[in-house]
């Protein structure tokens, strides 16, 4: 535990950390109800004038990839910098950048400028690189492994909460206007306001948590080196490979779910947003369920294996389901299991490193996350042209690969749950 801050400051800092963690996640979820409509439906015609539908699917994939690409490039730099210089400064800068990104996105919708929409999305992706700093700050002020797992679980629940608030609020404010210029831009304006609130919370509540400044060399090309490192080191390599294929599967489903709902079930922005918020509630329940289960189950690696196989089965079921109710039930079950698995994987990754390099190591995990978020829409955008079911089939294959690697890696990476 970091002894440079007292219990009261620790509580305030945790509030600021989780608010920042949540608002960063909001950047990915608040556009959930509208991005498929911008690229694939009549609402976005004024932006997509003259672009054939099959090219719009590719553009959608590129748009979805622009956010994690920026996050992938900048996340390790932020984590590295926070290890050397402290967490507070990079937090404040990144959240200011996030507000600017939302502002650019909103302006692009009002002006009907597609290229500017991409620029705004890239800026918000750069700002979302602070996720590794959030995780490192949690490690800074954790008193032990059990508290760290608990706080990571709260972080996962915050993600789930943003899966509720983001799509629901984005869909609701968009539905207030019939004019597509205002309905599609309103979620961006709401995100900008949330980022400014986040900035206020950070300035007033967050106290520096990093009392052990690290002297490791600063690495501008940290993302590339992180990927190389992750896939080069024995059992740690297996841990990151499992994490990569798990996240790739999740991102393939989540990012292309709105496109599937719009193309196959012709759902409105409001319905897509409402469903997104329902899945957020399910994610939270899945996280809490796994937290309880971890107290009674010693063979956590077996539970994770069953979870991965479960996700694969229902991804195939969803891919070929023609009934909207059955499709949504299958997706809900996938979300439930994924919400439970995420904090276990994250805690295992953190356990693999020494305390003074948590920013760098958790930035490595964010590089894996961002890399999966980058590849999923790029591949999914092309798969979507072959049929709406293909992204889900690819998900099933990916998560089975994760399960196979988990069997090879054994229980050791997850044994800390038993302590």
């Amino acid at each position: 535990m970091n002894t440079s801050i007292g219990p009261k400051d620790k509580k305030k800092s945790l509030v600021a950390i989780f608010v920042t963690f949540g608002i960063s996640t909001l950047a990915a979820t608040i556009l959930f109800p509208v991005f498929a409509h911008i690229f694939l439906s009549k609402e976005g015609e004024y932006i997509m004038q003259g672009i054939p539908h099959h090219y719009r699917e590719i553009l959608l994939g590129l748009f979805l990839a622009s956010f994690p690409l920026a996050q992938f490039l900048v996340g390790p730099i932020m984590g590295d910098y926070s290890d050397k210089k402290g967490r507070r400064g990079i937090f404040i800068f990144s959240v200011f950048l996030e507000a600017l990104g939302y502002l650019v996105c909103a302006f692009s919708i009002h002006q009907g400028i597609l290229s500017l929409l991409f620029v705004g999305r890239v800026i918000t992706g750069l700002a979302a690189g602070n996720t590794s700093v959030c995780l490192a700050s949690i490690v800074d002020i954790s008193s032990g492994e059990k508290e760290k797992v608990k706080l990571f679980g709260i972080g996962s629940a915050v993600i789930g909460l943003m899966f509720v608030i983001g799509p629901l609020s984005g869909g609701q404010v968009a539905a207030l206007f019939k004019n597509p210029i205002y309905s599609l831009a309103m979620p961006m304006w709401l995100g900008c306001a949330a980022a400014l609130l986040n900035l206020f919370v950070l300035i007033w509540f967050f106290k520096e948590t990093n009392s052990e400044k690290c002297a490791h060399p600063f690495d501008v090309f940290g993302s590339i080196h992180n990927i190389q490192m992750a896939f080069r080191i024995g059992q740690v390599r297996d841990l990151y490979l499992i994490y990569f294929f798990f996240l790739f599967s999740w991102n393939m489903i989540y990012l292309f779910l709105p496109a599937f709902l719009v193309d196959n079930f012709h759902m409105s922005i409001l319905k897509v947003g409402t469903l997104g918020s329902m899945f957020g509630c399910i994610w939270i329940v899945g996280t809490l369920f796994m937290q309880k289960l971890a107290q009674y189950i010693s063979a956590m690696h077996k539970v994770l294996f069953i979870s991965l196989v479960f996700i694969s089965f229902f991804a195939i079921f969803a891919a070929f389901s023609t009934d909207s109710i059955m499709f949504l039930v299958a997706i809900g079950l996938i979300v439930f299991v994924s919400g439970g698995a995420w904090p276990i994987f994250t805690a295992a990754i953190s356990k693999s490193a020494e305390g003074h390099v948590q920013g760098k190591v958790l930035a490595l995990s964010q590089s894996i996350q961002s890399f999966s978020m980058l590849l999923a829409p790029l591949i999914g955008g092309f798969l979507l042209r072959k049929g709406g079911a293909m992204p889900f089939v690819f998900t099933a294959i990916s998560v089975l690969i994760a399960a196979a690697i988990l069997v090879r890696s054994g229980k050791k990476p997850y044994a800390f749950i038993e302590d």
Side-chain angles (χ1 to χ4, degrees), residues 143-151 291 416-419:
S143 59
E145 293 302 323
K146 288 188 177 181
E147 184 181 20
K148 183 164 61 176
V149 172
K150 177 183 177 181
L151 293 177
Q291 291 281 299
F416 68 92
I417 296 296
E418 303 169 24
D419 296 340

Side-chain angles (χ1 to χ4, degrees), residues 180-302:
I181 294 178
Y182 296 105
S183 65
L184 296 177
M186 282 307 297
M188 286 82 164
W189 287 115
L190 190 60
C192 183
L196 292 175
L197 175 62
N198 186 181
L199 190 61
F200 173 82
V201 171
L202 274 172
I203 291 171
W204 285 100
F205 286 89
F206 185 77
K207 304 296 182 183
E208 181 58 57
T209 62
N210 183 14
S211 63
E212 301 179 21
K213 305 297 190 301
C214 181
H216 62 68
F218 188 72
D219 188 1
V220 176
F221 300 102
S223 297
I224 305 301
H225 296 157
N226 278 348
I227 297 298
Q228 292 174 339
M229 185 193 310
F231 296 136
R232 200 167 53 213
I233 307 174
Q235 193 169 33
V236 176
R237 176 188 60 207
D238 286 348
L239 181 59
Y240 281 112
L241 279 170
I242 295 165
Y243 193 53
F244 168 77
F245 283 108
F246 165 70
L247 289 174
F248 180 86
S249 304
W250 165 249
N251 285 308
M252 185 72 78
I253 288 177
Y254 183 76
L255 292 174
F256 286 95
L257 180 59
F260 193 91
L261 294 174
V262 170
D263 272 353
N264 291 271
F265 301 119
H266 310 292
M267 291 192 178
S268 66
I269 291 176
L270 184 59
K271 285 185 178 180
V272 172
T274 302
L275 286 172
S277 68
M278 289 175 58
F279 291 140
C281 293
I282 294 171
W283 176 283
I284 295 173
V285 173
T287 296
L288 297 176
F289 176 80
M290 187 66 83
Q291 291 281 299
K292 280 290 184 183
L293 191 65
Q295 297 177 16
Y296 303 103
I297 301 295
S298 60
M300 184 54 63
H301 66 293
K302 292 182 180 179

Side-chain angles (χ1 to χ4, degrees), residues 1-6 10 137 139-143 208-212:
M1 178 178 173
N2 186 328
T3 57
S4 64
I5 59 175
K10 176 181 176 177
S137 299
V139 174
D140 289 341
I141 56 182
S142 295
S143 59
E208 181 58 57
T209 62
N210 183 14
S211 63
E212 301 179 21

